[in-house]
Amino acid sequence: MTITSWAEPYKIKMVELIRMTSRQERAKAIRDAGFNTFLLKSEDVYIDLLTDSGVGAMSDRQWAGMMTGDEAYAGSRNFYHLEETIRSCYSYKYTLPTHQGRGAEHILSKILIRPGDYVPGNMYFTTTRLHQELAGATFVDVIIDEAHDPASDHPFKGNIDLDKFSDLIARVGADKIPYICVATCVNMAGGQPLSLENLRALRGICDHHGIRIMHDMTRVAENAFFIQQREAGYADKTVAEITHELCALTDGATMSAKKDAMVNIGGFLALNDELLYEQACEQVVIYEGLHTYGGMAGRDMEALAIGIRESLCDDHMRARIGQVEYLGQKLIDAGVPIVRPIGGHAIFLDARAILPHLPQEQFPAQALAAALYVESGVRTMERGIVSAGRSPETGENYGSKLELVRMTIPRRVYTQSHMDVAAEAVIDLMERSKQICGLEFTYEPSCLRFFMGRFKVSE
């Protein structure tokens, strides 16, 4: 007998009980939360697809590693294990632990950006761009145009548009570009990967002009899996081998370890340049902690070191991406508009296509996420004009061609039955989508407004 189905490469040892609330309870909860799914209480959520950050299930080996935490203030052995793991798996020489990815983004911006600089990248990420702007830089999107088209089936929508990047160099000068920020599996584009061919070409341009490549490697293992599956010449390479090759083409990295590496907290800044490392150490001491623990406990560094190696296992990644593809294909088969091709960590519903009666100024993705919660108890999040924010110079909303609802799949947490429930909830809501009303702000924070903003139904 030939077995064609796949199964998760793990057994479940412990469960957390969840409960379904009534529609009336959920309607009250979302009103109390200002129609912002970030402000819902976890106990009021049935299936939580808000994020994959810090919500994955750690393995027995990671939990065992937690028991070997060396909580020395200086020189923790867990730090040296983490440093060796990052050097071996990712190629970077120097490691600075931080409390999470945005801590690393902050340090990187402090040491490299000067007021008036430009930082290009393959689409923005919210906290990344904010730290760049706070340091005085202007973000410039140099991703390929296909990334802004949810219906495009381009296999590497995370690629850098090399002409856009070259034009920026010609316009502002290489000395005003401290680095290009290259994200693997671009979140805001729908979890879309970039190719090694594109990264090599970018490396050549950067070497010619003396510009660093800094890697946002939050989901690098997922990107490596897509390269294995889609890029010529890599079918026989392991995820671990591809990951190492990819990282070696960059000069440093920021990492939110709460995603790929399946820990509940933590991140790091990784560098190859010794002088930059010394400058970063000074900043880490000010903002995070001593350079051998940064913002992390010893036990968490140990769990991270173990999680890095687990994330690079082909069987794990095949099941991880397989679950996302399972949910996405069910929605495609039912005619639900989503970002294509299916990305690595989430399914992104095309709110513009689902709610064509709502103008973008009424925040259709925010409205759709709130409605999905009320109907089903499934929590998702907005990735559209609310997340894009406002220009600090003009006060105008940043333009956002994509207006998406992200259904983010935590690693090793939910079963396919949960995916079935989530798919059925979306499909059922599609039939009543014309009844969904737009929203307007009642409270708008000055930055990262999608976290704490509050809304009401538009009048």
Side-chain angles (χ1 to χ4, degrees):
M1 181 180 69
T2 301
I3 299 175
T4 57
S5 298
W6 62 269
E8 290 82 356
Y10 55 81
K11 297 186 294 185
I12 297 170
K13 287 189 174 183
M14 185 175 69
V15 297
E16 175 186 349
L17 301 182
I18 58 177
R19 71 184 183 98
M20 171 62 94
T21 55
S22 69
R23 191 183 191 284
Q24 184 178 12
E25 289 174 315
R26 295 192 298 274
K28 181 180 184 302
I30 200 68
R31 286 195 304 271
D32 291 346
F35 294 88
N36 186 343
T37 53
F38 274 95
L39 301 181
L40 290 167
K41 295 179 180 178
S42 174
E43 64 186 18
D44 294 329
V45 174
Y46 180 46
I47 298 176
D48 202 344
L49 306 184
L50 181 76
T51 182
D52 61 333
S53 181
V55 294
M58 291 203 301
S59 70
D60 53 354
R61 290 172 176 81
Q62 286 178 290
W63 281 110
M66 295 272 284
M67 296 297 103
T68 66
D70 174 8
E71 306 307 339
Y73 188 89
S76 165
R77 65 175 175 269
N78 307 120
F79 165 76
Y80 294 108
H81 182 203
L82 175 61
E83 182 183 52
E84 183 278 327
T85 300
I86 291 170
R87 188 174 292 137
S88 173
C89 294
Y90 297 145
S91 83
Y92 301 117
K93 295 179 181 178
Y94 306 106
T95 295
L96 286 167
T98 57
H99 72 283
Q100 59 185 74
R102 68 194 60 173
E105 293 170 348
H106 177 218
I107 301 301
L108 181 67
S109 298
K110 293 280 287 185
I111 64 175
L112 284 181
I113 293 175
R114 299 294 176 266
D117 282 347
Y118 294 82
V119 179
N122 52 344
M123 202 172 282
Y124 79 97
F125 184 67
T126 51
T127 59
T128 312
R129 185 179 66 190
L130 179 62
H131 282 120
Q132 294 164 356
E133 290 174 346
L134 291 174
T138 299
F139 168 78
V140 181
D141 189 359
V142 293
I143 202 166
I144 60 174
D145 290 340
E146 289 87 344
H148 296 283
D149 178 4
S152 170
D153 282 318
H154 192 292
F156 292 105
K157 291 166 78 170
N159 278 355
I160 299 289
D161 187 316
L162 302 176
D163 291 334
K164 289 181 184 178
F165 181 48
S166 296
D167 289 346
L168 177 66
I169 296 171
R171 178 165 62 86
V172 305
D175 60 328
K176 301 294 288 184
I177 304 174
Y179 61 92
I180 180 171
C181 182
V182 175
T184 37
C185 267
V186 181
N187 188 354
M188 303 299 284
Q192 301 297 317
L194 85 164
S195 69
L196 273 170
E197 179 184 30
N198 182 254
L199 185 58
R200 281 195 212 93
L202 177 67
R203 179 78 269 175
I205 295 173
C206 287
D207 286 346
H208 178 73
H209 291 282
I211 298 172
R212 299 180 183 90
I213 299 177
M214 303 308 296
H215 179 196
D216 178 350
M217 64 178 298
T218 295
R219 299 178 179 88
V220 64
E222 293 176 4
N223 199 116
F225 179 81
F226 284 123
I227 289 172
Q228 181 192 71
Q229 299 299 308
R230 298 177 183 175
E231 189 164 357
Y234 287 91
D236 295 329
K237 296 273 191 178
T238 66
V239 168
E241 290 169 338
I242 296 168
T243 297
H244 191 280
E245 182 176 342
L246 192 159
C247 292
L249 288 168
T250 68
D251 299 298
T254 59
M255 173 67 151
S256 173
K258 298 163 67 178
K259 283 84 169 178
D260 256 3
M262 296 170 287
V263 290
N264 302 127
I265 197 68
F268 58 80
L269 173 64
L271 297 164
N272 289 328
D273 185 288
E274 185 175 9
L275 178 60
L276 282 182
Y277 169 68
E278 291 172 354
Q279 294 173 2
C281 283
E282 296 177 6
Q283 297 298 317
V284 165
V285 171
I286 297 171
Y287 294 106
E288 296 279 329
L290 196 67
H291 66 290
T292 54
Y293 76 87
M296 298 185 69
R299 56 184 174 270
D300 292 319
M301 288 190 285
E302 189 65 23
L304 172 52
I306 296 167
I308 286 172
R309 293 193 182 276
E310 290 184 358
S311 76
L312 300 177
C313 173
D314 284 53
D315 285 344
H316 159 71
M317 195 53 62
R318 191 175 299 110
R320 191 305 186 262
I321 302 298
Q323 188 175 53
V324 179
E325 289 179 343
Y326 177 83
L327 173 58
Q329 195 58 54
K330 287 185 77 71
L331 295 174
I332 289 172
D333 291 345
V336 177
I338 69 171
V339 172
R340 304 176 69 161
I342 296 168
H345 68 294
I347 298 303
F348 290 73
L349 307 177
D350 186 352
R352 272 183 163 168
I354 295 172
L355 305 178
H357 61 287
L358 295 184
Q360 195 170 27
E361 293 74 21
Q362 291 186 8
F363 312 124
Q366 190 78 33
L368 181 60
L372 181 60
Y373 167 74
V374 172
E375 292 299 322
S376 65
V378 175
R379 175 160 66 168
T380 58
M381 70 166 295
E382 183 268 2
R383 276 296 183 228
I385 193 171
V386 176
S387 292
R390 294 185 185 274
S391 166
E393 288 81 23
T394 68
E396 296 294 321
N397 284 317
Y398 282 119
S400 177
K401 294 181 181 179
L402 297 175
E403 186 70 18
L404 310 174
V405 170
R406 190 180 77 181
M407 305 178 71
T408 331
I409 316 302
R411 293 162 185 81
R412 304 192 295 206
V413 170
Y414 290 118
T415 67
Q416 287 190 199
S417 296
H418 291 105
M419 298 301 101
D420 290 337
V421 171
E424 290 166 11
V426 174
I427 294 165
D428 185 59
L429 186 61
M430 279 276 294
E431 298 177 358
R432 300 187 302 282
S433 60
K434 292 181 180 180
Q435 300 173 16
I436 297 175
C437 298
L439 301 174
E440 58 186 79
F441 273 110
T442 61
Y443 167 65
E444 181 179 355
S446 60
C447 60
L448 300 178
R449 60 190 186 178
F450 63 95
F451 281 129
M452 300 293 292
R454 301 179 73 88
F455 304 83
K456 67 176 183 179
V457 174
S458 296
E459 298 177 356

